[in-house]
Amino acid sequence: MLLQEQEAAYSDVLQHNDVRWLSRGRVLERYFALRKEVSEFLSSQKSSKAKDLLARMQKPDFIAQIAFLCDIMGHLNTLNLQLQGGGSSVAEIIEKVSVFGVNPDLFLPDVMGRKIHFPTLRNVPVSSAAMAGMKGLLKSLAENFTERFNDFKIPKQVILFVRNPFAVDVSGSCPAEAKAVMPGIDEAAFQLELVQIQSSDVLKAKFGEEGLCEFWAHSTHQFHHCRRLAIYLLTMFGCTYICESGFSTMNLIKNQSSQSTHG
């Protein structure tokens, strides 16, 4: 009612849902946008808990920390959304994760400088103590990404080969890296097949016309080693999207069935 009376930017304060962790960032953004209204509401309450919360909100370091978390959770939410969906291959997902793995190194000097990647934090004062905490969190985030995704590395040339075989250097490291990913591949045969693929104008035309999966599944039967590696990577489950969407569909069917039974 207070938010509606004051015609605030939002009419309600969001609550976090552990099932959908993207809401964590949304809650922070909404809270930060409504921090003045929340403070006013707490000041009208007589409980000791409200007074404690109000005292915390009046500390500049607390507001700076919330602003920082809004920005960093926004970046994580963006990455999470990029990894969702049924059409992404594991090669594309690994590329996106690898790029974000470099971002903490980019964020660290930025948070201490111009804050171009921290638009919310840029508008609030930041003490040296608060800055030390932010630097520590960014370093921990970088270490976490390195540790968490260390076992999911696929050589860049192999990823490029799957996504665009015509852009790979035949005499480069791709044949050796392909054998490292799949020991059963004949490195010499793989290299010769790659030469033939890149020399075929027909395959170049098909690659431009067909989707990535269709190209490797239907247009490369004669190139056993190249096709085997591509299909091996393209059939990997890059995320749990298919499983989650399946559960959502089953829940929907179950709910509809329950409603029709009770009806």
Side-chain angles (χ1 to χ4, degrees):
M1 291 177 62
L2 174 67
L3 295 175
Q4 292 174 0
E5 290 173 0
Q6 296 191 358
E7 297 182 354
Y10 301 98
S11 61
D12 197 4
V13 180
L14 295 178
Q15 294 185 5
H16 171 56
N17 185 338
D18 284 326
V19 176
R20 298 187 179 276
W21 79 276
L22 285 173
S23 64
R24 192 185 299 269
R26 298 285 179 258
V27 168
L28 289 169
E29 293 173 5
R30 182 70 62 88
Y31 168 78
F32 189 82
L34 297 173
R35 62 190 184 282
K36 293 181 180 179
E37 288 82 1
V38 173
S39 295
E40 183 177 340
F41 173 78
L42 291 174
S43 64
S44 67
Q45 304 301 303
K46 297 181 180 180
S47 67
S48 59
K49 186 175 182 180
K51 292 180 179 179
D52 293 340
L53 291 173
L54 180 61
R56 181 181 299 180
M57 288 185 62
Q58 291 174 340
K59 296 179 179 179
D61 280 1
F62 177 79
I63 296 300
Q65 290 165 355
I66 296 298
F68 170 77
L69 289 175
C70 284
D71 291 329
I72 201 65
M73 286 299 300
H75 292 301
L76 288 169
N77 282 357
T78 299
L79 173 65
N80 187 285
L81 289 172
Q82 290 175 346
L83 302 182
Q84 294 182 14
S88 297
S89 67
V90 69
E92 295 171 324
I93 289 174
I94 288 176
E95 272 190 344
K96 292 170 182 175
V97 171
S98 298
V99 169
F100 191 87
V102 178
N103 281 350
D105 296 330
L106 179 68
F107 292 157
L108 189 56
D110 182 60
V111 78
M112 295 184 292
R114 296 172 57 197
K115 300 179 179 59
I116 60 175
H117 298 289
F118 297 88
T120 311
L121 181 63
R122 191 167 57 229
N123 297 316
V124 299
V126 183
S127 69
S128 57
M131 180 59 67
M134 296 171 193
K135 289 163 59 178
L137 190 145
L138 287 174
K139 290 179 180 178
S140 297
L141 181 63
E143 293 170 359
N144 184 274
F145 262 74
T146 300
E147 180 181 353
R148 183 179 295 270
F149 297 105
N150 188 50
D151 295 334
F152 295 91
K153 290 183 178 178
I154 297 177
K156 290 184 178 180
Q157 287 299 307
V158 173
I159 291 178
L160 178 60
F161 159 76
V162 174
R163 298 191 67 181
N164 186 357
F166 301 97
V168 177
D169 183 3
V170 176
S171 59
S173 61
C174 184
E177 291 178 348
K179 183 175 178 60
V181 173
M182 288 194 71
I185 285 180
D186 186 314
E187 184 178 343
F190 179 91
Q191 190 174 38
L192 290 175
E193 289 180 2
L194 185 55
V195 171
Q196 295 178 57
I197 291 174
Q198 293 185 350
S199 302
S200 173
D201 292 333
V202 174
L203 288 178
K204 285 182 181 178
K206 287 186 177 181
F207 183 77
E209 295 170 358
E210 300 174 343
L212 189 64
C213 293
E214 287 74 12
F215 172 78
W216 285 114
H218 304 302
S219 302
T220 57
H221 290 282
Q222 67 271 38
F223 306 109
H224 174 71
H225 295 278
C226 288
R227 182 172 181 267
R228 184 182 172 192
L229 175 63
I231 291 179
Y232 171 71
L233 293 179
L234 290 173
T235 52
M236 285 183 179
F237 284 96
C239 66
T240 59
Y241 172 81
I242 296 176
C243 294
E244 291 174 359
S245 60
F247 282 122
S248 297
T249 302
M250 291 178 64
N251 285 333
L252 179 62
I253 294 173
K254 183 178 179 181
N255 290 336
Q256 290 177 343
S257 176
S258 299
Q259 291 175 2
S260 60
T261 301
H262 290 301

